[in-house]
Amino acid sequence: MAEKAQRSFLKRAAAVSVAGGVVLSLAPMSGAVAQGGGKDTLIVGTSGLSNIPHLNPLDSGWLLQGEINNLMYTPMIRWSQEDFSPAPGIAQEWESSEDGLTWTYRLNPDATWSDGEPITAEDAKFTYDLLREDPVLNSRHGDLVDNFTDVRAEDDHTLVIEIEEPSAMMNHLKGVSIMIMPEHVWGGLDDPGAYAGEPDQPTSGPFRLSEHREGERITLAANEDYWEGPVDYDEFVLQDYQTPEAMVQALQAGEVDLVGGLNPQQYEALESREGITTSTGPGRRMQSLTFNAGARTQGGEEFGDGHPALQDPDVRRAIAHAVDKERIVEVATGGFALPGVSYVPPIFGDLSWEPTGDDLIDADIEAGNRLLDEAGYDERDSAGLRVDPESGRPLEFRLFYHSDRPSYAIIQDFLVDWVAELDIRLDAIAMDTTPLNEEQEAGNFDIAFGTWNSGPEPSETLAYHTCARLPEDAEPTDLTFAFYCDEEYDALFERQTAETDLDTRAGILRDMQQLLYQDAPAIVLYYENQLEAYNSERWSGFETQPAAEGMIREQQGAFGYRSATPADGAGGQAAGSGSDSGSALPWVIGGLVLVAVAGGGFAWMQRRKTADDRE
Amino acid sequence: MSAPSTPAPPGETEEQPRATASGSAPQLTSARAITWARRRKALADFWRQYRKQPAGLVGLGVLAFIALATLLAPLYTDESQLRAVNAPGERLESPSGEFWFGTDEVGRSILLQVVWGARVSLQIGIVAAVLAVGLGTLVGMMAAHYGGWASWLLMRLTDWFIVLPSLVLAIALVVALGASRFTIIVAIALTSWAGTARLVRAQTMSIEGRPYLERARALGAGHWHQMSRHVLPNLMPLILASATLQVSSAILTEASLSFLGLGDPSTVSWGTILERAFHAGAISYGAWWYMLPPGFAILAVVLAFTLCGRAMETVLNPRLRGAR
């Protein structure tokens, strides 16, 4: 479930116009989502709903689509709430043959669709066959199903899959990324790839869709007789807010019950509010610096305008020595993050690698300078910058950062000064997201900021550093982060792909992260905490994933939403405790200033008008 | 020629001295000296009238103070403290003896940012206003002078820009051209010249109807001579007042654009401080010291420029003066 930051020109314009609408969105919402009729409705505030083009469960790339899918469907195999290990979903148990080429999945006989029909192995076979044949769906799930040679239903509750090459993915069948669809309904669809989500279709999870208002709100109705036990409330609403600030105000006003994606200041402000409970835990979103490790094609033809010195791992490692991740975490995130290591966040347990002893690249300018001296970068030019002995160019790199992400503007300030102590100059350049991505994909960059959400299947992320991801021709590509290519790394990647023993595979995955850490095609700065808050006067019982100190929203499952329980009599309760003098004061002051400014402008316009009239 | 019964507005003194100077002021030797003497007198007249308006003086005082504070900033502050690395304070400290206006989410002094932000805000405001008024003057003069289809074309273009919502157009321009100080200036100038063009056209037509211009034409003055020697000098007071008022609106537009995230993120301006405060959650946090100082700074400068512009307009337009 990787979501690369991608915002188009139009979206940027939309975001801007939307920011202008802040004042509007702060006004109390219409009664449309107000609670009524004794119905318990869990309202979750989010942003970015307008990115969601459709609700096709088999063609989902956005985090929000994933959240909705998890509420409506049950996957074959879940990611456990405890630690993201594979856990039973529709399939109760599974095993492979000796050679690892035949896998047998036994389905839960109690599993039913929300219309009462049983969920059978035929449904699973239908779904996997669909993924193998439909071009749209195959482009998203080919990594799993293209390896299938035969899928058959032995009986109603036994599914057998034959595969060509041994594959670690058979242990989880991509978890929540692939949901099984009902053959008795989907069998009649003309073009399943174009399915956009229709109300009241039979589902296999705790909810079914009741309304999707594009860019505004998604409403789900609870399935009263969900086979794993229905939820304690009747309706789930995902409500879009244009800015986090508007969302925070809505939470305080009681218009929304749960919000995520807060910043440290908002989180701290909400911590002290009565009736609101905050929750934080390590998340899976990471922020990183990506180097242009030498943009080239599979055939070795170089392209782009990256600085040649960055192809040398010593230079990249020296820069890594200059980066004080602890300090960045403290200043840019208020301490709500973990210093980064590699591409698998620590919440994924033993899949994630921790450097110890000599492996650790700590914040140590002297070590960085030593490294550069030993690697032959000991000449200085007239400006005092180190010179690359091979190309003769001074070590002066462009650092691209996104103009719409405030934390990057802070971090780049630090980086420029820290790296200057290595006698290397960074030219920080702010860019819009779209042109920045385009330059990066074309290899026209030296160092660029980036963000990434890693899923419980690490190979989906680690694949971005394999040689196979280099482009065939000298054309832009978003399939590789850093144009990195290393034979040893590729060999490890091949090995983990074929390794079906989970522990052995975890070991190989850790080795790969160690290698990436040492070679430093990218510096992972930190893993952001998920910062959330909910109305605890109305709701309680939100469970997190991982179970200890995890997140409520953006889970790889629906554990948080399923465990929520409404407080007694909350159904008819009026919205929140309303206005609170504590938060009103800054608003009043802000309002006065606004009025003063607007009034001044208005008066000026008026005077001008009357002056003209009097001519 | 008889003396006018009311003091002539400075903008219209062009022809009287010329008419009288020929006979009664033999001590003035050249045409250049005559012109300069006339201009000095006009300026002194202008200042005498301006001085009578307290609001205009207050505005001027505020502007002088802000200009000094901005220009001398490097002498009494440390610019390096604007960098996150050198942030002297803690996260979102409230105002104290050390930080009069508190600190931002990184620990930088808000006061320092407001002082340095003035440079960018004022620079953008003034340059954009000068460009806008320059463009407006050019279009207005051409339309009035040439008339005919050229006038029609230019005026329809002007009308078009007047009816376009200027902020929306500015946003579109900045998004299309990419955010930087230069593009913001261009965007503001391109969206705010139209009002000046209409004003200048009207005034040019009234000037061109005066007899001395007819005389000049009869004596064979070309377009350029008429425009540069006769029309433009008479327009200057109007243009100056218009530009002063334009600065106010340019500063406001710059702040709006920056607040919407279209500013240059590598520099501090008042608008970008407000934007950062909003995104840092200053409202939820109750960090009023993050939002008020840049807000008041915008208010003060806009007000000061408006007061000055109004006062100038009053001096130049006797009908407004009479209304006081």
Side-chain angles (χ1 to χ4, degrees):
Chain A
M1 177 92 37
E3 166 221 31
K4 190 166 184 184
Q6 39 179 254
R7 286 171 66 189
S8 68
F9 170 88
L10 277 177
K11 280 180 197 144
R12 174 115 169 86
V16 164
S17 61
V18 144
V22 170
V23 180
L24 285 178
S25 55
L26 284 177
M29 287 185 338
S30 66
V33 289
Q35 316 208 339
K39 231 192 208 180
D40 284 322
T41 304
L42 175 63
I43 305 173
V44 176
T46 191
S47 52
L49 207 55
S50 50
N51 290 329
I52 308 300
H54 57 73
L55 290 176
N56 187 332
L58 294 178
D59 185 21
S60 301
W62 295 88
L63 284 169
L64 285 175
Q65 281 173 316
E67 283 202 276
I68 295 297
N69 290 345
N70 285 328
L71 284 164
M72 296 208 292
Y73 297 95
T74 307
M76 281 291 273
I77 298 172
R78 284 200 171 92
W79 302 110
S80 77
Q81 185 185 353
E82 206 51 49
D83 57 0
F84 295 96
S85 58
I90 293 176
Q92 277 179 308
E93 50 193 34
W94 51 97
E95 62 197 17
S96 75
S97 60
E98 276 300 303
D99 59 3
L101 294 179
T102 306
W103 288 72
T104 309
Y105 300 84
R106 280 178 231 297
L107 273 53
N108 190 329
D110 298 333
T112 57
W113 298 105
S114 57
D115 61 1
E117 297 281 325
I119 303 176
T120 65
E122 287 294 340
D123 289 321
K125 173 182 158 50
F126 166 79
T127 305
Y128 289 123
D129 284 344
L130 188 63
L131 296 183
R132 291 165 74 189
E133 287 153 15
D134 186 284
V136 175
L137 305 180
N138 187 271
S139 67
R140 210 172 267 286
H141 301 292
D143 50 349
L144 176 75
V145 297
D146 288 352
N147 193 24
F148 292 4
T149 50
D150 184 39
V151 182
R152 62 180 183 274
E154 298 264 284
D155 58 49
D156 269 2
H157 302 296
T158 310
L159 181 77
V160 175
I161 301 177
E162 309 258 6
I163 53 175
E164 206 171 326
E165 305 273 344
S167 164
M169 284 202 201
M170 299 306 287
N171 273 309
H172 52 67
L173 295 171
K174 289 187 76 176
V176 295
S177 301
I178 299 182
M179 299 296 184
I180 300 303
M181 291 298 122
E183 186 183 11
H184 63 280
V185 179
W186 275 55
L189 292 181
D190 288 335
D191 182 4
Y195 176 78
E198 279 167 36
D200 292 319
Q201 294 291 308
T203 60
S204 57
F207 290 92
R208 62 184 186 278
L209 183 67
S210 69
E211 195 189 14
H212 177 199
R213 291 172 65 164
E214 253 186 78
E216 284 178 45
R217 166 186 331 145
I218 297 175
T219 310
L220 306 180
N223 290 328
E224 290 86 0
D225 39 10
Y226 174 46
W227 55 282
E228 283 189 311
V231 293
D232 283 347
Y233 50 99
D234 311 297
E235 203 175 45
F236 175 95
V237 172
L238 194 63
Q239 171 73 38
D240 190 64
Y241 283 87
Q242 308 293 11
T243 70
E245 199 66 26
M247 215 153 65
V248 171
Q249 299 302 325
L251 178 71
Q252 296 187 7
E255 285 159 13
V256 57
D257 298 315
L258 168 71
V259 302
L262 302 173
N263 69 34
Q265 288 76 241
Q266 292 162 335
Y267 184 82
E268 278 171 27
L270 290 174
E271 246 176 346
S272 55
R273 302 306 301 278
E274 224 171 286
I276 287 173
T277 301
T278 51
S279 159
T280 182
R284 52 202 186 86
R285 181 186 295 270
M286 65 187 78
Q287 305 291 347
S288 58
L289 288 179
T290 306
F291 293 106
N292 185 346
R296 60 198 180 282
T297 61
Q298 302 259 8
E301 183 199 340
E302 299 200 2
F303 62 97
D305 63 4
H307 197 292
L310 286 175
Q311 298 180 18
D312 183 349
D314 283 330
V315 176
R316 305 194 299 252
R317 212 174 305 140
I319 293 176
H321 269 300
V323 179
D324 186 347
K325 295 174 181 173
E326 307 264 350
R327 182 84 199 279
I328 289 179
V329 165
E330 190 189 306
V331 176
T333 73
F336 290 109
L338 291 173
V341 178
S342 189
Y343 277 98
V344 184
I347 53 163
F348 294 124
D350 65 352
L351 297 177
S352 157
W353 178 75
E354 270 294 314
T356 48
D358 285 349
D359 283 333
L360 187 69
I361 302 178
D362 51 355
D364 183 352
I365 288 289
E366 279 174 30
N369 272 318
R370 219 167 29 240
L371 202 61
L372 288 169
D373 286 340
E374 285 163 11
Y377 297 88
D378 45 4
E379 298 277 318
R380 305 284 200 282
D381 72 355
S382 54
L385 298 179
R386 289 177 186 272
V387 175
D388 176 18
E390 272 177 42
S391 67
R393 285 170 62 178
L395 298 192
E396 182 180 1
F397 308 127
R398 292 159 297 167
L399 171 63
F400 289 168
Y401 69 100
H402 305 66
S403 52
D404 56 345
R405 303 201 192 148
S407 58
Y408 289 175
I410 296 169
I411 297 171
Q412 61 87 11
D413 237 18
F414 284 91
L415 293 175
V416 170
D417 282 24
W418 286 340
V419 171
E421 292 181 47
L422 296 171
D423 293 336
I424 296 175
R425 177 150 76 218
L426 294 185
D427 298 320
I429 300 167
M431 294 174 81
D432 274 349
T433 302
T434 308
L436 196 154
N437 285 346
E438 282 167 5
E439 293 293 339
Q440 192 174 355
E441 285 160 14
N444 294 328
F445 74 108
D446 294 327
I447 310 174
F449 276 85
T451 184
W452 190 256
N453 287 298
S454 209
E457 171 51 60
S459 68
E460 285 175 11
T461 308
L462 294 173
Y464 277 82
H465 289 295
T466 55
C467 300
R469 291 297 186 98
L470 292 178
E472 299 265 335
D473 306 308
E475 277 169 9
T477 174
D478 60 356
L479 292 175
T480 171
F481 291 150
F483 297 98
Y484 176 80
C485 171
D486 182 84
E487 281 176 21
E488 193 187 340
Y489 182 85
D490 275 20
L492 286 170
F493 190 85
E494 291 302 319
R495 267 181 62 207
Q496 68 81 25
T497 305
E499 181 57 66
T500 48
D501 180 74
L502 291 177
D503 287 336
T504 317
R505 177 166 185 250
I508 304 172
L509 291 170
R510 288 198 298 273
D511 288 346
M512 294 171 70
Q513 292 166 58
Q514 180 175 9
L515 204 151
L516 281 187
Y517 183 74
Q518 293 295 343
D519 255 9
I523 300 173
V524 178
L525 296 170
Y526 56 85
Y527 312 108
E528 271 178 24
N529 275 21
Q530 182 67 266
L531 298 176
E532 302 163 326
Y534 58 90
N535 185 330
S536 45
E537 278 175 2
R538 258 191 257 159
W539 295 91
S540 61
F542 290 106
E543 289 176 8
T544 62
Q545 182 190 33
E549 291 199 327
M551 46 193 141
I552 300 174
R553 290 205 53 201
E554 299 184 1
Q555 294 181 348
Q556 295 285 317
F559 305 103
Y561 300 139
R562 274 191 65 194
S563 57
T565 41
D568 291 336
Q573 194 180 323
S577 41
S579 66
D580 191 320
S581 56
S583 77
L585 181 66
W587 277 106
V588 171
I589 299 174
L592 284 178
V593 174
L594 202 69
V595 169
V597 171
F602 183 70
W604 167 54
M605 298 300 288
Q606 283 303 101
R607 290 246 10 213
R608 175 143 117 184
K609 227 182 242 166
T610 52
D612 290 345
D613 290 344
R614 272 183 252 162
E615 285 292 335
Chain B
M1 184 157 239
S2 66
S5 54
T6 53
E12 297 170 12
T13 51
E14 179 91 25
E15 59 189 312
Q16 285 91 354
R18 176 163 297 190
T20 52
S22 55
S24 64
Q27 72 273 24
L28 292 177
T29 48
S30 70
R32 181 177 295 267
I34 295 169
T35 314
W36 277 110
R38 196 180 65 229
R39 285 187 186 156
R40 263 198 304 280
K41 183 176 171 297
L43 201 66
D45 278 349
F46 177 84
W47 175 238
R48 218 172 13 257
Q49 294 293 339
Y50 189 95
R51 232 174 20 189
K52 289 182 190 156
Q53 305 186 58
L57 287 180
V58 169
L60 202 63
V62 172
L63 279 187
F65 172 76
I66 291 173
L68 269 182
T70 308
L71 290 174
L72 300 181
L75 298 181
Y76 66 95
T77 58
D78 182 2
E79 189 186 6
S80 69
Q81 288 192 354
L82 285 176
R83 298 189 61 75
V85 194
N86 306 323
E90 294 296 306
R91 198 157 63 95
L92 284 176
E93 270 185 60
S94 51
S96 64
E98 191 187 355
F99 303 109
W100 292 359
F101 292 167
T103 62
D104 69 2
E105 77 275 20
V106 187
R108 291 171 292 198
S109 156
I110 303 287
L111 176 60
L112 187 70
Q113 295 184 49
V114 171
V115 168
W116 283 89
R119 299 196 146 209
V120 178
S121 292
L122 286 176
Q123 186 197 10
I124 292 179
I126 292 172
V127 175
V130 168
L131 276 182
V133 171
L135 188 63
T137 306
L138 191 72
V139 172
M141 279 173 71
M142 301 236 295
H145 183 73
Y146 290 107
W149 63 268
S151 169
W152 186 88
L153 204 68
L154 286 171
M155 280 303 108
R156 294 300 82 72
L157 187 72
T158 311
D159 289 344
W160 191 67
F161 270 95
I162 284 178
V163 295
L164 273 183
S166 60
L167 187 62
V168 176
L169 183 61
I171 289 173
L173 275 172
V174 175
V175 170
L177 299 174
S180 78
R181 204 181 296 192
F182 176 72
T183 49
I184 287 182
I185 290 175
V186 169
I188 296 176
L190 279 184
T191 50
S192 56
W193 59 271
T196 311
R198 276 220 161 266
L199 218 60
V200 165
R201 174 172 171 271
Q203 187 70 13
T204 307
M205 287 171 92
S206 112
I207 294 170
E208 292 209 324
R210 289 175 199 165
Y212 75 90
L213 255 153
E214 212 171 315
R215 289 201 291 275
R217 271 195 294 275
L219 289 171
H223 294 306
W224 175 248
H225 181 87
Q226 292 175 40
M227 287 290 118
S228 63
R229 287 307 177 88
H230 301 296
V231 177
L232 195 59
N234 275 308
L235 278 175
M236 269 334 265
L238 178 80
I239 292 173
L240 206 65
S242 171
T244 313
L245 292 172
Q246 200 68 255
V247 174
S248 300
S249 76
I251 287 177
L252 278 179
T253 310
E254 188 273 335
S256 313
L257 287 174
S258 296
F259 179 71
L260 295 179
L262 293 169
D264 176 0
S266 59
T267 57
V268 185
S269 81
W270 293 332
T272 53
I273 300 176
L274 284 172
E275 188 222 357
R276 286 213 323 270
F278 182 73
H279 285 292
I283 298 174
S284 303
Y285 195 85
W288 51 269
W289 59 87
Y290 202 164
M291 317 200 78
L292 288 194
F296 277 126
I298 296 173
L299 180 67
V301 167
V302 169
L303 194 64
F305 271 108
T306 310
L307 288 178
C308 289
R310 282 298 144 202
M312 280 185 185
E313 232 179 27
T314 313
V315 172
L316 303 177
N317 188 340
R319 266 166 296 195
L320 284 179
R321 215 182 310 157
R324 270 176 195 260

